[in-house]
Amino acid sequence: MEEENITTMTEFLILGFYEFPELQIPISFLFLLIYLTILMGNLTIIIMTCLDPRLQTPMYFFLCNLSFLDISYTSVTLPKLLDVSLRNSHHISAIGCFTQMYYFLFSVCVEFLLLTMMAYDRFVAICHPLRYSVIMNLRLCVLMAIGSWIYGIVEPVTHTVLVSHLSYCGSREINHFFCDISALLKLSCTNTSTIDHMTSVLAVLVVLPCFLLTMTSYIYIISSILRIRSSEGRRKAFSTCSSHLTVVTLFYVSLTCLYAKPTSMQSLDLNKLIALLYNVLIPLLNPIIYSLKNRDLKEAIRKVVKRTQFPSTQKKIFLVSKG
């Protein structure tokens, strides 16, 4: 290709769901409702965990990290989608685009590690309940969480730098609802095999061990649950980990479908639909799944609601008892 046709982009156009021009307003309100639900649900988990001492356990500590992560990366992708749909504002600067891509990759890396830690936490709780408080102590939990966030910050830097230095052949239209790395690689006229190889190495060194550790934890968990004699005991034990297993399954299926194939074999239209599963459905389901299947969290929410609904009644009871 001639040198003059190769350009360094200063601006991109995010197409969003341009295939449905007549549905842009309904799509906007749908995603606005989903975004507000994600914020409210995940903030509820974080607030309840901070307010209720019974929820200040390793499981909820990691769940708080996961909720904060869900809020973070949906706040990076969904507001721009709303801007595209409502105001028809497709333009995004190259710096803004690469920054958005970085935060998305960052969130993916952190979530892989957080889900693995949550699986290990459930393994210790069910398979070694008497040693749970000793093994999953506060120091270990904090170190594991800090390590996850530091790794998430550092790992995407190389991918982001390489993608930002690619050359693009005229077209600046990103067929996606955010600056996804697969969509950017499709626009490039530079050989992207180096980035494909790096992604494969990352999958082997990080994703595969996380997957194996998670699956191994659940094999031991299910084996321990099946050895419980009472059906009620089995039901309670399985309910503590089934929600997490649901989230793990959705996460790995969506990410595998998105990035397991080389860039040349990927379909951007299909990637865009699958990305909705990770960007929208999983953050939306996380608080619903964890709150509906957890009695302690529901009880904490119920107490806070009662406290806000009847503050004067509680004050009178307190004054009478004091008198």
Side-chain angles (χ1 to χ4, degrees):
M1 185 168 292
E2 296 180 2
E3 185 67 27
E4 58 267 20
N5 291 332
I6 301 178
T7 59
T8 301
M9 288 293 176
T10 59
E11 188 179 65
F12 292 96
L13 295 175
I14 296 180
L15 298 182
F17 295 98
Y18 70 97
E19 304 94 332
F20 313 103
E22 70 284 356
L23 296 177
Q24 291 304 302
I25 299 300
I27 287 174
S28 301
F29 282 105
L30 174 62
F31 282 113
L32 177 60
L33 178 62
I34 290 173
Y35 180 54
L36 293 176
T37 305
I38 289 171
L39 289 179
M40 183 177 67
N42 285 287
L43 280 174
T44 298
I45 291 178
I46 295 172
I47 292 170
M48 290 301 103
T49 303
C50 294
L51 292 179
D52 196 324
R54 292 183 307 169
L55 300 182
Q56 293 169 8
T57 63
M59 182 180 76
Y60 287 101
F61 173 74
F62 291 123
L63 183 56
C64 275
N65 279 267
L66 185 63
S67 294
F68 180 78
L69 184 67
D70 286 346
I71 291 173
S72 299
Y73 71 76
T74 51
S75 298
V76 170
T77 57
L78 290 187
K80 182 57 185 177
L81 174 59
L82 294 173
D83 194 34
V84 170
S85 302
L86 281 175
R87 298 175 56 235
N88 203 30
S89 177
H90 297 272
H91 296 268
I92 184 171
S93 67
I95 294 176
C97 187
F98 296 134
T99 301
Q100 191 183 55
M101 185 197 74
Y102 169 83
Y103 276 109
F104 175 75
L105 294 176
F106 155 77
S107 68
V108 171
C109 294
V110 175
E111 190 151 354
F112 271 118
L113 296 174
L114 283 178
L115 291 177
T116 305
M117 293 172 193
M118 292 174 74
Y120 178 71
D121 173 73
R122 292 300 85 205
F123 159 73
V124 177
I126 293 174
C127 299
H128 303 284
L130 299 179
R131 300 173 56 200
Y132 178 72
S133 59
V134 176
I135 297 175
M136 299 301 296
N137 57 73
L138 178 61
R139 182 174 178 274
L140 177 63
C141 293
V142 170
L143 288 176
M144 291 168 72
I146 292 175
S148 299
W149 290 97
I150 291 176
Y151 174 79
I153 291 170
V154 173
E155 197 285 326
V157 171
T158 305
H159 275 80
T160 305
V161 170
L162 289 176
V163 173
S164 65
H165 283 79
L166 294 177
S167 297
Y168 299 90
C169 307
S171 177
R172 56 190 182 128
E173 296 180 344
I174 298 175
N175 185 15
H176 217 293
F177 60 89
F178 72 99
C179 290
D180 182 58
I181 186 171
S182 62
L184 287 168
L185 293 180
K186 281 284 188 180
L187 290 181
S188 175
C189 51
T190 309
N191 189 337
T192 61
S193 59
T194 301
I195 299 176
D196 288 335
H197 293 327
M198 282 184 56
T199 304
S200 300
V201 171
L202 175 66
V204 172
L205 295 181
V206 179
V207 178
L208 183 60
C210 286
F211 175 76
L212 292 176
L213 285 171
T214 302
M215 290 301 102
T216 301
S217 296
Y218 276 103
I219 289 172
Y220 279 104
I221 288 171
I222 294 172
S223 176
S224 296
I225 291 174
L226 293 177
R227 288 199 297 268
I228 298 175
R229 294 183 179 181
S230 67
S231 58
E232 180 66 17
R234 286 196 299 269
R235 186 191 64 79
K236 288 183 178 179
F238 187 73
S239 67
T240 63
C241 62
S242 59
S243 55
H244 180 254
L245 187 57
T246 303
V247 173
V248 168
T249 302
L250 288 173
F251 178 75
Y252 275 97
V253 168
S254 60
L255 267 296
T256 301
C257 293
L258 272 176
Y259 302 115
K261 295 180 292 186
T263 304
S264 58
M265 298 174 61
Q266 294 185 15
S267 167
L268 291 183
D269 290 328
L270 181 60
N271 278 9
K272 187 161 55 174
L273 294 176
I274 297 174
L276 284 175
L277 184 65
Y278 174 76
N279 278 268
V280 176
L281 186 61
I282 293 179
L284 180 65
L285 288 180
N286 272 350
I288 297 174
I289 290 173
Y290 284 110
S291 61
L292 289 179
K293 297 185 80 69
N294 193 286
R295 186 166 46 188
D296 291 336
L297 185 56
K298 288 190 288 186
E299 184 63 28
I301 295 173
R302 196 177 298 117
K303 283 185 176 180
V304 171
V305 171
K306 285 182 179 179
R307 198 177 303 153
T308 55
Q309 284 181 340
F310 308 107
S312 58
T313 304
Q314 290 180 348
K315 187 176 180 180
K316 288 178 183 178
I317 294 173
F318 173 76
L319 291 173
V320 170
S321 62
K322 188 176 180 180

